[in-house]
């Protein structure tokens, strides 16, 4: 049908073409078609002036030879076809269908992969002249058939009205964009009838029911669902006899051509499934069940069940008691009760209901002797007539159900614990059960506790028949029974629960069960006892601290495990763990961390470095402390403290029930063993003067980890008794440090170190000269940086010696080897001479270095007279103490103007010859020689008077402090004399005043005058 609609649209388009000139048109390509399926390609010619019926010739250009025309078929010439297509044309696999005189269709019934190519439709000219186009081409692409459709086959037997579900798997793997449509079909038994479409999902994803299933689809009786990319499920809710037959699924793959027309390119059908439908069963049976203890005052429920019948039958139920109808429910659910039972139902004593389509219930909430008898139910299947009444189709009756009330029996009481154990741990819950036997009745209970070492019982709790609970008191006040709870599990079982038990809850518990008797004056009661022990949590608590690594390497990780042992480990009681630490330098434990039983973590006031490198994990009775990047600061003693709480402590602030401290555990943090190895092979290098050389320091193996290396280069001159001098050092932080003997600008430029790789270092020596001759070696140190920023030296290895020699140049310096010893007096002057044997070369310059040492002390450079005349001193203070000069061409002098006792020792001189070398020329040390040792002995000078005075400390102190003492004594004496003179003057003045009182007033003026003169005289004195 899709092909015919396409052809119609194609030729409708062709009729709109211009008729002015000949024009041949074919379908627009490319056309994708699946292998093994037919294809039709239309061709039309318009604008011709010849006969109405035109001829058509079809050819193809295959991809293997795009320029070679291969003729397929012609409407004019039967011999037009090439041999490759001749057989298929003759068999009718390929043919041309004439639609109109000027329009045809090329049909290929079964496509092959080799049919792919560019197809050309050609019309021979029937006009007087050529005008227009006579052929047109389109491209046909043949793709593999990837469509698949599967469904489980077999035979299904269903009952009428039952549901049916079938699943079809349809998938494709076409590279091009295609759509799928899925259709379900049914074929009636016999095989001669055509397939009937049930429902389909179109290529546009629209559900379309078959003509015979339209109403059922609208009623949702027939559905089709897509469950995934390739799963399609058809469902029929209620099967009908007409659904019987063969069912299968058909999948169709569609592709859209360039002219936007959808074409079917592949189609697959699944295997068929046979569906057999059995007619619905109409007959049914009725049974009755009773649920009750059949005791007075207890409920009774009778259920009437219908077994069989059709699907969703319309049923009505009727209840009979001792042959008399007492209630009925019709098919519409309308309830009807007889007079006696209508009153009981209104008072809530009776209930009649329909539990389901095939179940009816009669419930009596409190049995009495008048309810004893025979019960029966009758069920009728009915249909509603056109008048609206119910018509009975069939009626069935249940067997009789006899109801007899049981007589009360004798009772007994059994008392037990919930877990069958009479020993509980402190803080746990104690649950006691008290169960009465016999017929069901209303009971009351009271619980009593007799503590150990006591005889008087204490009331704990009680429950009356009405369910009201009363808690007891102890010693006249409220007892600690806020944690006591009394429950009624069923009519005969009572449960007493005491949470957070204490040691005082141990003892004997008594349960008293009472029952009211209508025929007796007193209630009947039964008693039972049980003994209970509450054990202390602290009695079995043990804590141990262990570690797999008591010896820890620096920067490694170590763990400590706190293991709690207790007889109640299965109780899952909350535990608080406190980790404590005593550093090696302290006598007290510090609180590190506290992991509370409620999940909170608190850090102590100990240095916060632990927080950054510590991980804590904790389970029920186990706590682990994991410390990363260990340093010496973690060396010390650890211990853990454990506090045990009751299980309800998460919701209150109760104190711990028990606590214990573990054994102390000492952790020692040590440095890891160094694995450093350095190449110890010695070698000799012989070089030309003024050349450059390299000395290698090769590391054969090193320790694992994040370690740093320090490289130190040493040099020992050729001279005897020469000590090792540090040239330079590249420390573990890659900082270069120059040795004390190599701080001169010349030597700084001469020596350089370089790191070629992780395990190879070089010392570069530029412009080698005579003073560079000697032995060299490197010292390699391994350093480890701890997390607190401290460097730790793990090990040190020295390399083999590299001896550096210069090839002979002809120059030779000889220093006099005369052994010289001199005794001088302290504070005198001395001159030490260093002489050359021979005049030497006139083109050479000379430098001299003076050395001094005493005892086991190392050799010290005093002064260096360079070849250019510059003087450099080993220490700045020596500049004023000694003087170095060249007294003649062959004589060098070290002069000490004033010898001190400290100047005694051995002196040596080393003379070097310098000559011009290279271009541009520069002075190079090419030879040197060293003198024999020259011994200077300093004798103390004879003491003089000042020296003797200064040499006696007490006498010197006397001379210093005596003048001050005499001066102080003289000053005190003068002050005393002055005080006495002042006192005498005051006495004389007072005496004169007394005498003046007897003088006559006439002489007052004279007296006054004389008094003033006396005063002036006194002041003068």
């Amino acid at each position: 049908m899709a092909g015919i609609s396409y052809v119609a649209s194609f030729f409708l388009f062709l009729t709109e073409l211009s008729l002015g000139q000949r024009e041949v048109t074919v379908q627009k390509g490319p056309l994708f078609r699946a292998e093994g399926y037919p294809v039709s390609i239309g061709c039309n010619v318009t604008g011709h002036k010849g006969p109405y019926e035109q001829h058509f010739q079809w050819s193809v250009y295959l991809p293997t030879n795009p320029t070679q025309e291969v003729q397929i078929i012609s409407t004019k010439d039967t011999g037009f076809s090439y041999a490759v297509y001749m057989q298929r044309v003759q068999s009718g696999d390929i043919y041309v269908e004439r639609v109109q005189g000027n329009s045809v269709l090329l049909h290929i019934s079964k496509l092959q992969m080799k049919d792919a190519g560019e197809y050309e439709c050609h019309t021979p000219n029937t006009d007087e002249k050529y005008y227009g186009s006579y052929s047109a081409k389109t491209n046909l692409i043949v793709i593999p058939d990837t469509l698949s459709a599967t469904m489980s086959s077999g035979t299904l037997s269903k009952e009428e009205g039952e549901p049916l579900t079938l699943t079809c798997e349809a998938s494709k793997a076409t590279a091009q964009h295609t759509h799928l449509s899925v259709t379900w079909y049914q074929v009636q038994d016999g095989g001669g009838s055509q397939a009937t479409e049930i429902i389909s999902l179109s290529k546009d994803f629209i559900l379309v029911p078959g003509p015979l299933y339209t109403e059922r689809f609208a009623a949702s009786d027939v559905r089709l669902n897509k469950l995934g990319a390739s799963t399609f499920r058809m469902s029929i809710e209620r099967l009908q006899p007409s659904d019987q037959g063969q069912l299968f699924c058909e999948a169709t793959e569609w592709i859209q051509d360039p002219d936007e027309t959808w074409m079917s390119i592949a189609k697959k059908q699944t295997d068929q499934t046979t569906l057999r439908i059995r007619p619905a069963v109409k007959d049914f049976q009725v049974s009755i069940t009773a649920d009750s203890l059949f005791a007075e005052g207890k409920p009774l429920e009778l259920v009437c069940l219908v077994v069989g019948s059709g699907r969703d039958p319309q049923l009505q139920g009727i209840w009979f008691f001792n042959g008399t109808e007492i209630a009925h429910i019709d098919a519409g659910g309308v309830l009807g009760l007889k007079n006696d039972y209508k009153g009981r139902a209104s008072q809530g004593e009776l209930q009649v209901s329909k539990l389901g389509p095939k179940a009816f219930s009669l419930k009596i909430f409190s049995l009495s002797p008048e309810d004893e008898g025979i019960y029966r139910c009758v069920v009728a299947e009915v249909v509603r007539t056109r008048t609206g009444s119910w018509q009975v189709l069939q009626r069935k009756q249940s067997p009789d159900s006899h109801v007899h009330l049981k007589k009360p029996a004798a009772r007994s009481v059994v008392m037990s614990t919930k877990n069958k154990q009479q020993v509980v741990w402190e803080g746990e819950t104690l649950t006691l059960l008290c169960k009465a036997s016999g017929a069901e009745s209303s009971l009351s209970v009271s619980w009593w506790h007799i503590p150990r070492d006591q005889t008087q019982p204490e009331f704990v709790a009680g429950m009356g028949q009405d369910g009201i609970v009363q808690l007891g008191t102890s010693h006249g006040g409220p007892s600690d029974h806020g944690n006591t709870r009394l429950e009624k599990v069923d009519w005969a079982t009572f449960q007493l629960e005491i949470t957070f038990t204490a040691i005082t809850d141990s003892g004997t518990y008594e349960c008293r069960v009472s029952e009211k008797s209508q025929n007796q004056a007193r209630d009947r009661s039964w008693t039972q006892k049980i003994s209970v022990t509450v054990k202390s949590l602290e009695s079995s608590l043990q804590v141990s601290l262990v570690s797999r690594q008591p010896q820890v390497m620096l920067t490694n990780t170590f763990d400590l495990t706190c293991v709690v042992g207790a007889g109640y480990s299965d109780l899952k009681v909350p535990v608080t763990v406190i980790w404590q630490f005593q550093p090696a330098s302290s006598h007290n434990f510090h609180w590190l961390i506290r992991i509370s039983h409620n999940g909170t973590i608190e850090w102590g006031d100990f240095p916060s470095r632990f927080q950054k490198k510590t991980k804590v994990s904790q389970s029920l009775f186990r706590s682990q402390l994991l410390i990363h990047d260990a340093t010496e600061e973690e060396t010390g003693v650890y211990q853990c403290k454990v506090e045990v709480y009751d299980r309800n402590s998460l919701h209150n602030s109760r104190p711990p029930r028990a606590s214990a401290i573990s054994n102390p555990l000492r952790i020692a943090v040590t440095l890891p063993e160094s694995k450093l190895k350095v190449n110890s092979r010695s070698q000799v290098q012989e070089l030309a003067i003024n050349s450059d050389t390299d000395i290698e320091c090769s590391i054969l193996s090193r320790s694992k980890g994040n370690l740093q290396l320090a490289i130190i280069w040493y040099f020992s001159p050729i001279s005897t008794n020469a000590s090792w001098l540090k040239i330079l050092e590249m420390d573990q932080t890659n900082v270069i440090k120059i040795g004390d003997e190599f701080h001169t600008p010349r030597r700084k430029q001469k020596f350089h170190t370089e790191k070629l790789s992780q395990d190879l270092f070089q010392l570069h020596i530029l412009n080698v000269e005579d003073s560079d001759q000697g032995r060299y070696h490197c010292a390699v140190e391994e350093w480890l940086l701890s997390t607190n920023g401290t460097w730790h030296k793990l090990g040190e290895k020295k390399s083999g010696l590299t001896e550096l020699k210069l090839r002979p140049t002809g120059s030779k310096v000889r220093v006099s080897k005369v052994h010289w010893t001199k005794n001088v007096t302290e504070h005198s002057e001395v001159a030490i001479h260093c002489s050359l044997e021979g005049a030497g070369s006139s083109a050479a310059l000379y430098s001299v270095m003076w050395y001094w040492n005493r005892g086991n002390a190392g050799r010290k450079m005093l002064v260096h007279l360079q070849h250019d005349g510059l003087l450099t001193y080993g220490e700045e203070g020596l500049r004023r103490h000694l003087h170095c000069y060249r007294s003649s061409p062959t004589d060098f002098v070290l002069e000490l103007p004033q010898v001190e006792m400290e100047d005694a020792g051995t002196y040596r001189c080393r003379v070097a010859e310098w000559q011009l070398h290279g271009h541009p020329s520069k002075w190079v040390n090419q030879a040197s020689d060293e003198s024999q040792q020259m011994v200077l002995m300093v004798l103390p000078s004879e003491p003089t008077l000042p020296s003797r005075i200064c040499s006696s400390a007490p006498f010197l102190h006397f001379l210093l402090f005596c003048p001050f003492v005499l001066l102080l004594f003289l000053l005190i004496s003068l002050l005393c004399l002055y005080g006495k003179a002042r006192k005498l003057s005051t006495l004389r003045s007072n005496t004169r005043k007394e005498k003046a009182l007897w003088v006559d007033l006439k002489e007052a003026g004279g007296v006054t005058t004389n008094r003033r003169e006396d005063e002036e005289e006194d002041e003068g004195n």
Side-chain angles (χ1 to χ4, degrees):
M1 292 296 291
I4 295 174
S5 62
Y6 165 73
V7 171
S9 63
F10 173 71
F11 286 112
L12 179 61
F13 164 73
L14 294 179
T15 57
E16 298 175 359
L17 294 175
S18 172
L19 299 176
Q21 61 181 3
R22 175 184 288 264
E23 184 173 4
V24 178
T25 55
V26 294
Q27 287 178 246
K28 186 179 179 181
L31 303 177
F32 290 91
R33 297 294 184 268
E35 179 185 10
Y37 291 91
V39 65
S40 298
I41 305 175
C43 181
N44 182 76
V45 60
T46 58
H48 58 86
K49 295 183 180 179
Y52 173 72
E53 187 174 283
Q54 295 288 304
H55 286 287
F56 295 85
Q57 297 175 346
W58 288 89
S59 303
V60 66
Y61 297 87
L62 300 176
T64 55
N65 192 355
T67 60
Q68 176 65 42
E69 178 185 5
V70 181
Q71 297 178 359
I72 301 176
I73 192 171
S74 172
T75 58
K76 181 180 180 182
D77 184 6
T78 57
F80 178 78
S81 304
Y82 280 7
V84 68
Y85 286 103
M86 180 64 71
Q87 184 177 357
R88 295 175 68 185
V89 172
Q90 290 178 352
S91 65
D93 182 44
I94 299 176
Y95 63 95
V96 175
E97 177 189 359
R98 185 177 293 279
V99 181
Q100 294 178 1
N102 62 339
S103 300
V104 295
L105 287 173
L106 172 65
H107 294 285
I108 302 177
S109 302
K110 190 174 183 181
L111 272 177
Q112 302 176 9
M113 294 300 292
K114 63 183 180 180
D115 292 333
E118 188 176 34
Y119 283 76
E120 180 182 39
C121 174
H122 177 73
T123 58
N125 186 24
T126 57
D127 304 334
E128 297 177 355
K129 59 180 180 178
Y130 285 91
Y131 182 58
S133 64
Y134 292 85
S135 65
K137 295 180 180 179
T138 189
N139 196 18
L140 175 65
I141 300 174
V142 182
I143 60 178
D145 178 18
T146 61
L147 180 63
S148 67
T150 58
M151 183 182 69
S152 299
S153 61
T155 300
L156 299 177
S157 180
K158 295 284 185 177
E159 185 176 323
E160 180 185 356
E162 285 187 342
L164 171 68
T165 299
L166 294 176
T167 301
C168 175
E169 296 286 339
S171 63
K172 59 183 177 64
T174 309
Q176 289 70 29
H177 176 69
T178 59
H179 286 190
L180 275 183
S181 65
V182 177
T183 306
W184 292 86
Y185 292 94
Q186 182 241 8
V187 179
Q188 295 287 344
D189 289 337
S193 61
Q194 271 192 335
T196 301
E197 180 181 347
I198 302 175
I199 191 171
S200 67
L201 178 64
S202 71
K203 64 179 183 302
D204 300 320
F205 310 107
I206 299 175
L207 286 176
V208 181
L212 300 181
Y213 288 84
T214 302
E215 293 183 1
R216 297 173 67 181
F217 174 76
S220 298
D221 188 39
V222 178
R223 297 195 303 270
L224 175 59
N225 296 320
K226 184 177 182 182
L227 304 182
S230 60
T231 304
F232 300 85
R233 184 177 67 189
M234 181 193 70
S235 303
I236 300 178
E237 288 296 320
R238 297 172 180 268
L239 286 173
Q240 299 180 6
S242 60
D243 297 328
Q244 181 170 293
Q246 311 297 322
L247 304 180
F248 65 90
C249 166
E250 181 181 82
T252 306
E253 185 174 8
W254 299 79
I255 194 168
Q256 192 175 31
D257 283 344
D259 61 358
E260 299 184 356
T261 302
W262 286 93
M263 295 297 294
S264 168
I265 61 172
K267 185 178 294 184
K268 291 289 175 64
Q269 290 184 356
T270 64
D271 295 336
Q272 295 184 350
T273 295
T274 302
L275 177 62
R276 297 282 181 258
I277 298 178
R278 305 186 304 274
V281 178
K282 299 297 183 182
D283 195 13
F284 64 89
Q285 299 295 328
V286 179
S287 62
I288 188 170
T289 59
D291 181 16
S292 176
L293 297 176
F294 299 106
E296 184 178 356
K298 299 301 178 182
L300 167 68
E301 183 177 17
L302 299 171
V303 178
C304 184
L305 297 175
V306 177
V307 180
S309 182
R311 187 177 179 86
D312 295 339
Q314 299 188 74
L315 303 176
Q316 67 178 12
I318 307 171
W319 288 97
F320 290 88
F321 174 62
N322 292 332
T324 304
E325 179 183 344
I326 58 175
H328 73 272
I329 299 178
D330 64 13
V334 179
L335 173 64
L337 296 171
K338 298 303 180 181
N339 291 332
D340 295 342
Y341 289 88
K342 186 180 296 184
R344 295 182 65 181
S346 62
Q347 296 177 7
E349 299 177 2
L350 179 75
Q351 183 183 40
V352 179
S353 60
K354 188 174 184 180
L355 302 178
K358 297 182 180 181
F360 300 88
S361 168
L362 170 63
K363 183 179 291 186
I364 301 174
F365 293 99
S366 180
L367 283 174
S368 61
E370 61 184 15
D371 294 319
E372 289 185 299
I374 300 173
Y375 291 84
R376 181 189 311 121
C377 72
V378 175
V379 177
E381 183 177 5
V382 296
V383 295
R384 191 177 292 276
T385 63
R386 293 181 180 179
T387 60
S389 60
W390 294 104
Q391 178 183 352
V392 177
L393 299 180
Q394 56 178 329
R395 184 192 301 266
K396 294 296 177 68
Q397 177 178 298
S398 71
D400 293 343
S401 177
H402 297 268
V403 175
H404 299 286
L405 298 182
K406 296 179 181 179
K407 303 300 181 183
R411 299 187 185 279
S412 63
V413 173
V414 177
M415 193 173 178
S416 64
T417 60
K418 191 172 185 179
N419 54 3
K420 306 302 181 184
Q421 294 183 358
Q422 296 176 222
V423 178
V424 297
W425 290 100
E426 175 188 10
E428 291 305 301
T429 299
L430 172 64
T431 304
L432 301 174
L433 296 174
C434 183
K435 186 173 183 178
S437 63
E440 182 176 353
S441 179
S442 296
L443 304 176
S444 61
V445 67
S446 62
W447 291 86
W448 300 80
H449 174 220
I450 305 174
R452 287 186 177 177
D453 302 330
Q454 294 187 23
T455 58
Q456 185 67 28
E458 298 176 356
F459 177 68
V460 179
M463 178 184 290
Q465 294 182 356
D466 54 3
I468 297 176
V469 175
Q470 180 184 3
L471 298 179
T473 59
S474 176
H475 307 291
S479 177
D480 187 18
H481 290 295
N483 300 323
T484 303
R485 184 168 56 191
L486 178 58
E487 294 180 352
K488 187 174 184 179
V489 180
D490 54 39
W491 72 269
T493 306
F494 299 90
Q495 176 177 292
L496 176 67
E497 185 178 274
I498 301 176
T499 57
F500 317 123
T501 54
I503 306 298
T504 56
D505 292 324
S506 299
T508 302
Y509 286 84
E510 178 181 300
C511 170
R512 300 175 185 173
V513 176
S514 302
E515 179 183 15
K516 286 186 177 181
S517 176
Q518 298 177 356
N519 301 326
Q520 298 180 9
R522 295 183 58 188
D523 294 348
R524 294 186 298 170
S525 63
W526 299 265
T527 303
Q528 186 61 268
K529 296 181 180 180
I530 190 171
S531 178
V532 174
T533 301
V534 179
K535 294 178 63 177
S536 168
L537 292 179
E538 197 156 354
S539 62
S540 70
L541 180 62
Q542 295 180 346
V543 183
S544 60
L545 182 61
V546 296
S547 175
R548 295 176 296 177
Q549 303 160 300
Q551 295 286 339
V552 186
M553 293 296 179
L554 190 71
T555 74
N556 281 6
T557 299
F558 67 95
D559 62 276
L560 302 169
T561 304
C562 184
V563 181
V564 182
Y568 43 85
S569 58
D570 57 333
L571 297 181
K572 299 181 179 180
V573 294
V575 172
T576 292
V577 178
I578 302 172
W579 286 93
Q580 297 175 336
F581 173 58
Q582 178 184 336
S585 59
S586 174
H587 298 289
N588 299 321
F589 277 93
H590 299 272
W591 175 30
L592 283 183
I593 186 173
R594 183 176 189 268
I595 305 99
S596 301
H597 60 287
N598 58 6
T600 60
I601 296 179
E602 302 175 61
W603 290 92
D605 55 357
F606 203 63
S608 59
R609 66 177 186 272
F610 276 96
Q611 299 186 27
K612 301 177 182 178
K613 56 192 298 183
T614 303
K615 179 181 179 182
V616 179
S617 61
Q618 184 161 326
S619 56
L620 186 58
F621 279 87
R622 191 182 188 92
S623 180
Q624 187 179 52
L625 189 69
L626 196 68
I627 300 178
H628 300 274
D629 298 326
T631 64
E632 300 95 329
E633 297 174 351
E634 279 79 67
T635 298
V637 179
Y638 294 79
Q639 68 181 18
C640 63
K641 179 180 180 182
V642 174
E643 297 175 345
V644 179
Y645 295 77
D646 57 58
R647 281 188 284 186
N648 202 43
S649 60
L650 297 176
H651 309 291
N652 54 47
S653 56
R654 292 177 180 268
R657 293 277 186 169
S659 64
I661 298 179
S662 72
N663 56 291
L665 179 62
R666 181 173 297 277
I667 296 295
V669 180
T670 60
L671 294 176
E673 182 181 358
S674 177
K675 305 294 183 182
L676 180 65
K677 289 185 180 179
V678 180
N679 188 359
S680 59
R681 184 169 56 87
S682 298
Q683 59 178 340
V684 177
Q685 292 187 20
E686 188 171 348
L687 306 170
I689 195 166
N690 203 32
S691 60
D692 300 338
T693 187
D694 299 325
I695 300 176
E696 290 188 350
C697 182
S698 177
I699 299 171
L700 302 180
S701 67
R702 56 196 297 185
S703 305
K704 295 182 180 180
N706 186 20
L707 303 179
Q708 303 299 325
L709 298 180
I711 309 297
I712 309 171
W713 292 96
Y714 291 96
F715 166 64
S716 176
I718 295 178
S719 61
T720 58
N721 299 326
S723 59
W724 287 99
L725 306 176
K726 183 168 76 170
I727 304 172
L728 57 82
E729 173 187 359
M730 183 172 67
D731 68 8
Q732 65 273 19
T733 61
N734 293 327
V735 175
I736 304 295
K737 301 176 182 177
I738 306 298
D740 295 338
E741 302 290 337
F742 292 82
H743 260 295
T744 62
R746 178 181 178 85
R747 291 203 164 190
K748 285 182 181 180
Q749 296 175 0
K750 178 180 286 289
F751 295 97
H752 303 277
T753 186
E754 181 182 4
K755 181 179 181 181
L756 300 180
S757 67
Q758 290 288 75
D759 299 323
L760 184 60
F761 298 82
Q762 276 189 349
L763 176 67
H764 302 299
I765 306 176
L766 307 180
N767 303 324
V768 176
E769 52 193 15
D770 178 72
S771 61
D772 300 327
Q773 292 188 99
R775 293 172 298 166
Y776 294 80
H777 79 269
C778 70
V780 182
E781 299 174 348
E782 272 189 329
W783 292 84
L784 176 64
L785 179 64
S786 62
T787 54
N788 60 1
T790 304
W791 286 99
H792 303 273
K793 183 178 176 181
L794 300 187
E796 178 181 357
K797 295 292 181 181
K798 295 181 180 179
S799 69
L801 301 179
T802 299
E803 185 175 355
L804 203 61
K805 293 182 178 181
L806 290 180
R807 297 191 185 99
T809 61
S811 296
K812 196 166 186 181
V813 177
R814 290 185 178 87
V815 178
S816 175
K817 305 295 183 179
V818 176
H819 187 78
W820 181 88
T821 302
K822 189 172 184 177
N823 296 328
V824 297
T825 305
E826 185 184 8
H827 306 306
S828 62
E829 180 181 350
V830 67
I832 305 173
H833 293 267
C834 179
S835 301
L836 296 177
E837 295 179 355
S841 174
S842 61
L845 297 178
Y846 294 90
S847 65
V848 63
M849 296 182 70
W850 288 93
Y851 297 94
W852 169 86
N853 74 300
R854 180 169 61 184
N856 296 326
R859 188 163 73 167
K860 183 170 95 172
M861 195 273 287
L862 298 177
V863 62
H864 180 197
L865 176 59
Q866 300 181 15
H867 65 280
D868 55 2
L870 292 177
L871 275 174
T872 57
Y873 293 88
E875 296 178 2
E876 188 62 29
L878 296 175
R879 184 183 299 274
R880 298 186 303 272
H881 187 62
L882 52 85
H883 179 53
C884 177
Y885 60 93
R886 187 175 182 181
S887 60
S888 69
T890 61
D891 194 19
F892 300 89
V893 179
L894 177 66
E895 186 179 278
L896 282 72
Q898 189 173 5
V899 177
E900 303 290 344
M901 296 297 294
E902 292 81 6
D903 296 330
T906 302
Y907 290 80
R908 289 177 184 269
C909 71
R910 185 172 189 84
V911 180
E913 178 183 330
W914 298 74
Q915 291 193 9
L916 289 172
H917 280 273
H919 299 282
S921 297
K922 60 179 179 180
W923 291 98
V924 176
N925 179 4
Q926 65 177 16
S928 64
D929 192 19
E930 189 171 299
S931 71
Q932 286 286 353
Q933 64 180 8
M934 293 170 276
V935 179
L936 177 65
M937 302 179 66
V938 181
L939 302 176
S941 60
E942 292 185 7
T944 61
L945 179 60
S947 64
R948 289 178 179 177
I949 293 175
C950 293
S951 62
S952 176
F955 189 61
L956 179 63
H957 293 162
F958 174 77
L959 292 179
L960 290 174
F961 293 106
C962 183
F964 292 100
V965 173
L966 293 176
L967 182 62
L968 181 62
F969 179 76
L970 181 60
L971 181 62
I972 294 172
S973 300
L974 293 175
L975 290 174
C976 290
L977 291 175
Y978 175 77
K980 288 182 178 181
R982 186 72 180 264
K983 184 177 180 181
L984 181 60
S985 175
T986 303
L987 290 174
R988 292 174 63 185
S989 176
N990 293 336
T991 303
R992 290 175 180 176
K993 288 179 181 180
E994 291 177 357
K995 291 181 178 182
L997 295 174
W998 301 100
V999 178
D1000 188 67
L1001 293 175
K1002 293 182 180 180
E1003 298 177 355
V1007 173
T1008 303
T1009 304
N1010 291 334
R1011 187 182 303 165
R1012 288 179 180 174
E1013 291 177 354
D1014 292 339
E1015 288 177 359
E1016 289 177 358
E1017 183 178 353
D1018 290 339
E1019 289 177 1
N1021 293 334

